Amino acid sequence: MRKFVFDCDTGTDDAIAILAAFGTPDIEILGITSVNGNVTENHVSANNLDLCEYLGFDVPVTRGASMPLFSGYHNSLDMTHGTTGLGSVVLPHAQTKQFDPRIASRFLFDMAVKCEGELELFVTGPMTNIALAVIQYPEFSDLIKHIYFMGGAVWGGNVTTTAEFNIWADPEAAHIVFDSGIPMTMVGLDVTLKAIMEKEDVVKLRACHTKAADFAADLLDFMFDRYSRGGEDVIMHDALAVASALCPECMKYTDYFVDVETTGTYTRGHTAADFRGRLGKEPNMACAMELDVPMFRKWLVERISACGKSENH
Ligand code: BDR
Ligand code: CA
């Protein structure tokens, strides 16, 4: 059975991505690690803990990095994910579930050792926790089988003209991870901007009458409302990273050498993909470049509909 840790900055679309992972049979989620990003780390961590208790996900939840490695970025002020990270959705506060005492990077390393080279990661926020694990534990990189991450873009950006949020929020961390030798799949804006849900998806989720599907439908309703007020569309950036591991056939991929611009005046956080092969470097990741949108939406609704019914979690 494939084993994963989910590193995230929950986050409306992170939460939906978590549901998709927990709704997938025949995989094991060993834990959720939290990182500063969409909102402050304390909000992210609380969201992950509350979500797990509310939906009965019996896995460790850790706290994690509360700021980027070097840059001054603290948090988005654009309210894409609301003040707490879950938009207008309010989960009951966890009553009995406690945080795992380990900090994220230590937990990641412990799971990597436990899985003896078979651990895979979903990464749907800034890469600070992963970079810290790479820095602190020299064996870590060799123990990770694959990272499926949402971040970057071969073409374009969503914070600046050339930088995507997760990479822009901690470019040095992303540079360290890209350079680590860990096999990776980049799911960037090239595909995620097309992963837009429709109202009919909400109807299908409401028909399930499960806590998980209702929670997802509430998050999607918040996103439809956000879009009607001029905000971001109902985009499933992070669930697409999960899909790249669990429904890989919904995308097409090209191998590139990709590095992160850390010093540019206007381009800090840009993921530079050597699509012309001019640098003469071996590709370090597969980049998702095309998406079958109906296949992805069907997969996502099915996985969330199954969430809470699986025997595996
Ligand atoms: C990424 O940034 C966040 O707003 C989303 O959760 C996603 O991980 C998209 O740029
Ligand atoms: Ca995210």
Side-chain angles (χ1 to χ4, degrees):
M1 193 182 285
R2 293 172 75 184
K3 296 181 192 316
F4 293 88
V5 170
F6 206 124
D7 185 77
C8 50
D9 63 337
T10 316
T12 49
D13 64 320
D14 304 74
I16 289 176
I18 291 170
L19 300 183
F22 277 89
T24 300
D26 303 326
I27 67 166
E28 190 178 356
I29 311 290
L30 300 179
I32 298 178
T33 51
S34 316
V35 67
N36 175 70
N38 287 320
V39 286
T40 56
E41 181 274 339
N42 56 327
H43 278 310
V44 170
S45 298
N47 290 341
N48 287 334
L49 196 72
D50 295 347
L51 186 157
C52 283
E53 181 167 299
Y54 180 65
L55 295 175
F57 299 157
D58 188 16
V59 298
V61 174
T62 83
R63 300 195 62 171
S66 60
M67 59 178 75
L69 293 185
F70 297 116
S71 54
Y73 172 74
H74 285 286
N75 290 104
S76 170
L77 297 175
D78 71 0
M79 287 294 132
T80 297
H81 301 264
T83 314
T84 64
L86 294 180
S88 54
V89 181
V90 180
L91 287 175
H93 288 306
Q95 296 296 309
T96 55
K97 192 170 178 66
Q98 306 274 328
F99 289 114
D100 187 280
R102 288 165 286 189
I103 195 73
S105 55
R106 175 78 215 194
F107 179 81
L108 284 159
F109 177 63
D110 286 352
M111 293 306 107
V113 170
K114 183 176 170 189
C115 293
E116 300 178 328
E118 290 301 312
L119 182 63
E120 302 176 88
L121 306 179
F122 296 124
V123 178
T124 63
M127 290 186 151
T128 321
N129 289 334
I130 315 302
L132 286 168
V134 169
I135 294 166
Q136 291 168 328
Y137 305 102
E139 309 93 328
F140 179 76
S141 301
D142 286 341
L143 288 168
I144 299 299
K145 187 172 186 182
H146 204 99
I147 293 176
Y148 300 90
F149 74 95
M150 190 284 135
V154 173
W155 302 104
N158 62 354
V159 180
T160 68
T161 45
T162 55
E164 180 280 330
F165 174 79
N166 287 340
I167 307 299
W168 172 86
D170 196 342
E172 283 79 11
H175 168 71
I176 288 166
V177 178
F178 285 15
D179 194 39
S180 67
I182 300 172
M184 278 185 278
T185 299
M186 174 170 119
V187 178
L189 300 174
D190 310 286
V191 282
T192 70
L193 291 177
K194 298 175 191 152
I196 299 172
M197 301 304 273
E198 305 283 347
K199 289 260 167 82
E200 68 189 75
D201 299 317
V202 178
V203 173
K204 287 178 189 160
L205 290 170
R206 294 271 180 223
C208 294
H209 302 294
T210 63
K211 276 164 100 172
D214 276 339
F215 175 51
D218 290 347
L219 290 167
L220 291 174
D221 279 343
F222 163 78
M223 294 181 186
F224 280 110
D225 182 54
R226 176 180 74 192
Y227 183 56
S228 74
R229 289 182 280 108
E232 186 174 272
D233 207 340
V234 189
I235 300 177
M236 299 293 101
H237 297 283
D238 292 343
L240 213 50
V242 175
S244 72
L246 305 179
C247 181
E249 58 276 16
C250 74
M251 281 169 270
K252 287 189 179 153
Y253 311 82
T254 309
D255 290 347
Y256 290 124
F257 173 78
V258 186
D259 201 352
V260 180
E261 180 65 86
T262 55
T263 56
T265 304
Y266 303 109
T267 55
R268 186 168 154 76
H270 170 60
T271 43
D274 184 25
F275 60 88
R276 291 187 196 274
R278 293 278 166 85
L279 298 176
K281 297 193 174 188
E282 285 296 310
N284 57 349
M285 60 187 77
C287 301
M289 298 306 293
E290 288 177 47
L291 171 66
D292 183 331
V293 179
M295 189 192 293
F296 166 69
R297 283 175 45 215
K298 182 168 180 291
W299 169 83
L300 183 58
V301 170
E302 280 175 6
R303 296 285 50 93
I304 295 173
S305 304
C307 189
K309 297 177 183 164
S310 163
E311 300 280 304
N312 290 329
H313 306 297

